[in-house]
Amino acid sequence: MRLLVARPIAAALLAVSCVAVSPVGAQRKAVPSAPSSAGIAMTPPMGWNSWNFFGHNVTDKDVRDSADQIVSSGMKDAGYTYVNIDDTWEGERDASGVLHSNARFPDMKVLADYVHSKGLKIGIYSSPGPKTCAKFEGSFGHEEQDAQLYASWGIDFLKYDLCGFRQAVMNVQAPNDPAEQMRLMQAAYIKMGKALRATGRPIVYSFCEYGWDAVWEWAPAAGANLWRTGGDIGPTWQSIALIGFRQAGLEQYAGPGHWNDPDMLEVGNGKLTLAENRTHFSLWAMLAAPLLAGNDLPNMKPEIRDILTNRDVIAVDQDSLGRQGSRAYSEGQVEVWTRPLAGGAMAVAVFNELDKGRYSSHPFHLSLSKLGLHGTQEGKDLWTGKNVQLTEGQAIELDGHDVLMVRIARPIVKASQR
Ligand code: GLA
């Protein structure tokens, strides 16, 4: 990224479009609440999850190796805490209904102890349905029993994935009644929330129902610490940009203890370029999203580790104010987002959605006044680590799919906004 000193382009030449379409309704729904999960996940959970890289093949060894790497790579020191096993760990239930892990996970308690011995926490996955998405055993009819089992193993995080509940319960009990289907879904999430709280163990509760029924409106009252806002992410620019920029409008629902979850990170996966990896990580930080790495940690390249452990970007994600960023404006395929931070600071991110090189001859001109800022701003470029000045109409040259992310410690705001 380069900041260019150039005269502002005449406003008339700019195709300005504010495309912040809110996907949400204005009112929170009244839902029967689950007991409070106060004190858990006061900043967005950070850690790693097995699904995005290992998928169906994850083993006990992969989880141990990943835990080891979180420590040795410096990720633990940077804040990554949860080591989460996704789907496909489940085995069969015995005659008493007790669920056992399958042969790839010989002893969950021993594995949990190992992860804990590293100073990390461990997460697990289930479904309110009889079957998970990968057709393994779900928790339907065994919610309390499973919650107690997780607690006895020392589990610290549960991702609860709707999947089999749709076919087995919603479609069967209320085939032509979408409202009743949503009520059944909410009740299922509340039920497991109560079961988790009843264990007395502080278990982070993660809803995965792909954003159905405006989940952000009712999930906090139902006991969620985080909730997926949409479908599955993939390791491509298209997937990351589509999901990430679509979060605009959800910012009012996030806060300490309850977060929008655009899905786990793909940083380091697929064929993402370094710029795309940076943009992905920056956008998730602007969104106050959970930072659950999903890459092959034992084989992580140094440049990927550097992205995942960028302390300045992580500090934005983990900011104690807990306010999710929002799209300030967009222009062509450039998006400008801001996030208010503790102590009156502010993060600004400029994302270039265009393909490679398109802005090298046509720099983008940043409007500070559209961000509510007045005059020259002193900041820190969070990817170069250098101090930068942002001026009104500043020309910014970004490679395709790259980002400029700046922290302004003391923003100078317009008089009307002071
Ligand atoms: C769903 C979820 C994914 C993953 C898989 C596992 O697709 O959205 O994140 O948990 O199930 O089967």
Side-chain angles (χ1 to χ4, degrees):
M1 195 291 307
R2 276 179 290 161
L3 301 182
L4 304 181
V5 179
R7 278 180 297 129
I9 302 177
L13 292 178
L14 301 175
V16 178
S17 63
C18 287
V19 291
V21 179
S22 170
V24 298
Q27 301 288 316
R28 274 182 203 254
K29 290 180 187 169
V31 261
S33 344
S36 162
S37 55
I40 307 178
M42 297 309 280
T43 60
M46 291 179 66
W48 172 88
N49 175 291
S50 61
W51 184 254
N52 283 353
F53 182 77
F54 290 100
H56 296 72
N57 302 317
V58 64
T59 65
D60 175 287
K61 181 173 186 314
D62 296 328
V63 175
R64 284 168 192 256
D65 290 352
S66 299
D68 293 348
Q69 285 297 318
I70 288 174
V71 176
S72 62
S73 65
M75 287 175 70
K76 179 183 172 208
D77 289 343
Y80 293 84
T81 303
Y82 292 94
V83 178
N84 292 351
I85 307 163
D86 208 278
D87 204 353
T88 76
W89 64 269
E90 310 88 338
E92 304 294 326
R93 291 189 188 277
D94 63 22
S96 315
V98 176
L99 182 59
H100 295 266
S101 49
N102 63 41
R104 282 181 287 121
F105 289 89
D107 190 324
M108 294 302 261
K109 173 81 173 79
V110 171
L111 176 57
D113 288 348
Y114 181 80
V115 172
H116 287 148
S117 76
K118 300 278 164 183
L120 299 168
K121 296 184 174 181
I122 185 161
I124 210 163
Y125 167 104
S126 189
S127 171
K131 293 289 171 199
T132 67
C133 287
K135 308 274 186 287
F136 284 67
E137 198 64 21
S139 292
F140 182 68
H142 295 273
E143 292 82 359
E144 288 83 8
Q145 196 173 22
D146 285 359
Q148 292 295 336
L149 180 69
Y150 304 150
S152 75
W153 288 341
I155 295 295
D156 306 296
F157 185 116
L158 174 68
K159 172 174 168 182
Y160 208 42
D161 191 349
L162 186 65
C163 256
F165 191 77
R166 289 189 282 182
Q167 295 82 12
V169 180
M170 289 156 67
N171 294 350
V172 171
Q173 291 188 19
N176 301 310
D177 188 346
E180 176 59 10
Q181 289 191 355
M182 293 304 125
R183 200 199 59 74
L184 289 166
M185 178 177 71
Q186 290 185 5
Y189 277 90
I190 290 169
K191 185 172 195 183
M192 181 52 99
K194 287 185 174 160
L196 292 175
R197 300 304 161 230
T199 67
R201 192 172 172 83
I203 298 175
V204 173
Y205 189 23
S206 163
F207 287 20
C208 179
E209 50 81 280
Y210 338 113
W212 278 27
D213 198 31
V215 61
W216 38 83
E217 294 181 354
W218 55 269
N225 298 113
L226 57 155
W227 52 88
R228 278 270 295 278
T229 55
D232 288 19
I233 199 168
T236 65
W237 167 256
Q238 287 70 22
S239 172
I240 290 161
L242 185 71
I243 291 175
F245 295 124
R246 216 188 241 170
Q247 305 301 306
L250 295 182
E251 51 273 6
Q252 61 183 300
Y253 298 99
H258 51 97
W259 308 101
N260 290 302
D261 175 13
D263 206 354
M264 304 166 297
L265 294 167
E266 292 283 12
V267 173
N269 284 341
K271 293 180 179 163
L272 297 172
T273 65
L274 282 183
E276 290 166 348
N277 281 311
R278 269 194 299 274
T279 294
H280 180 16
F281 200 62
S282 303
L283 181 51
W284 262 233
M286 294 298 284
L287 294 170
L291 296 180
L292 296 171
N295 57 324
D296 179 12
L297 296 180
N299 295 301
M300 172 165 59
K301 293 189 175 134
E303 57 270 30
I304 296 301
R305 181 202 57 215
D306 290 349
I307 291 173
L308 287 172
T309 56
N310 182 318
R311 301 281 183 121
D312 288 331
V313 176
I314 290 172
V316 171
D317 182 78
Q318 296 287 299
D319 185 76
S320 60
L321 196 58
R323 287 187 54 193
Q324 179 173 328
S326 57
R327 180 194 279 131
Y329 73 101
S330 65
E331 198 172 284
Q333 282 182 274
V334 176
E335 303 235 359
V336 185
W337 287 61
T338 57
R339 180 172 172 188
L341 302 173
M346 180 184 193
V348 176
V350 182
F351 300 98
N352 180 9
E353 286 194 77
L354 282 172
D355 294 337
K356 195 168 165 35
R358 289 288 296 278
Y359 262 95
S360 53
S361 57
H362 298 286
F364 169 76
H365 293 262
L366 178 65
S367 166
L368 293 178
S369 62
K370 282 186 187 162
L371 312 184
L373 298 174
H374 181 70
T376 300
Q377 309 286 325
E378 306 287 339
K380 180 178 182 188
D381 181 326
L382 303 188
W383 287 110
T384 65
K386 293 187 177 146
N387 292 334
V388 287
Q389 276 192 343
L390 296 178
T391 55
E392 184 59 44
Q394 173 129 15
I396 294 175
E397 186 172 320
L398 284 170
D399 276 344
H401 302 178
D402 211 345
V403 61
L404 167 68
M405 188 167 175
V406 175
R407 182 189 187 100
I408 304 171
R410 281 180 291 281
I412 306 164
V413 298
K414 282 183 190 164
S416 60
Q417 304 195 8
R418 277 181 201 141

